[in-house]
Amino acid sequence: MQSRRGFLFQAAALGSLAAAGLVVGRQRLAMAAPAQTFEVQHSDAQWHQLLTDEQFDVLRREGTERPFSSPLNNEHRRGRFACAGCQLPLFASEAKFDSGTGWPSFTAPLAGAVDTSRDSSLGMERNEVHCHRCGGHLGHVFDDGPAPTGLRYCMNGVAMVFVPVTA
Ligand SMILES: [Zn+2]
């Protein structure tokens, strides 16, 4: 009788553990899925009012600007590159480098400023980079960058605005 009760107790404990594991697993799956809600959200009509056509195409439609078309390629002052959609600071000028690609390039974003998701479009496997606050598409990140990170954040200049340090 005693061992039977012990077995039942163990089975119940294992059962609840399994149930707990299942819940954790579901939550992990939900967190791993692309985030659909952002702190800053607008309808397409509202974004059209806030952005230029070029900014809308890149930020909201994952477009790509023509290489060497952005004035930010030649921006060498101290400051921060912020999201053109929500003004969240994304990159510090200290992380910028000349990749020769024709797109503003950085070794690292500011902490918590961007998120990445897998992008299988155009027959390539790439890591898409978007703004943490509004979800706006910024560019892609590649692992062929220079020290210290070895990463190359290849950004569309039109998706950002430069804010110089005024001190
Ligand atoms: Zn943003």
Side-chain angles (χ1 to χ4, degrees):
M1 197 63 195
Q2 196 68 19
S3 65
R4 170 83 178 151
R5 189 177 289 165
F7 170 78
L8 285 175
F9 175 77
Q10 278 192 338
L14 283 173
S16 58
L17 276 178
L22 199 62
V23 171
V24 168
R26 278 194 191 139
Q27 283 178 338
R28 283 199 182 133
L29 275 177
M31 287 171 69
Q36 296 300 316
T37 58
F38 294 94
E39 186 185 330
V40 172
Q41 294 207 99
H42 299 297
S43 67
D44 278 355
Q46 288 171 321
W47 280 122
H48 266 302
Q49 295 205 315
L50 292 166
L51 304 171
T52 67
D53 288 351
E54 290 77 16
Q55 288 172 331
F56 183 89
D57 181 57
V58 171
L59 283 165
R60 310 312 310 177
R61 290 292 177 268
E62 302 200 9
T64 301
E65 71 186 8
R66 282 182 302 107
F68 301 100
S69 66
S70 171
L72 293 190
N73 279 304
N74 299 313
E75 179 57 70
H76 298 300
R77 289 175 291 169
R78 281 190 61 223
R80 288 182 165 187
F81 297 81
C83 175
C86 73
Q87 278 68 55
L88 179 70
L90 303 173
F91 296 93
S93 55
E94 288 78 5
K96 192 171 187 281
F97 71 99
D98 185 1
S99 63
T101 59
W103 289 286
S105 302
F106 304 84
T107 53
L110 294 168
V114 306
D115 297 311
T116 60
S117 64
R118 207 77 181 131
D119 175 6
S120 302
S121 67
L122 304 177
M124 292 179 277
E125 285 295 329
R126 297 179 294 174
N127 286 312
E128 183 267 351
V129 178
H130 56 268
C131 172
H132 177 73
R133 187 151 72 184
C134 74
H137 171 73
L138 303 168
H140 293 86
V141 58
F142 304 93
D143 61 3
D144 57 5
T149 63
L151 297 175
R152 172 171 59 94
Y153 283 81
C154 185
M155 300 292 101
N156 289 280
V158 74
M160 303 184 294
V161 291
F162 181 69
V163 183
V165 170
T166 50

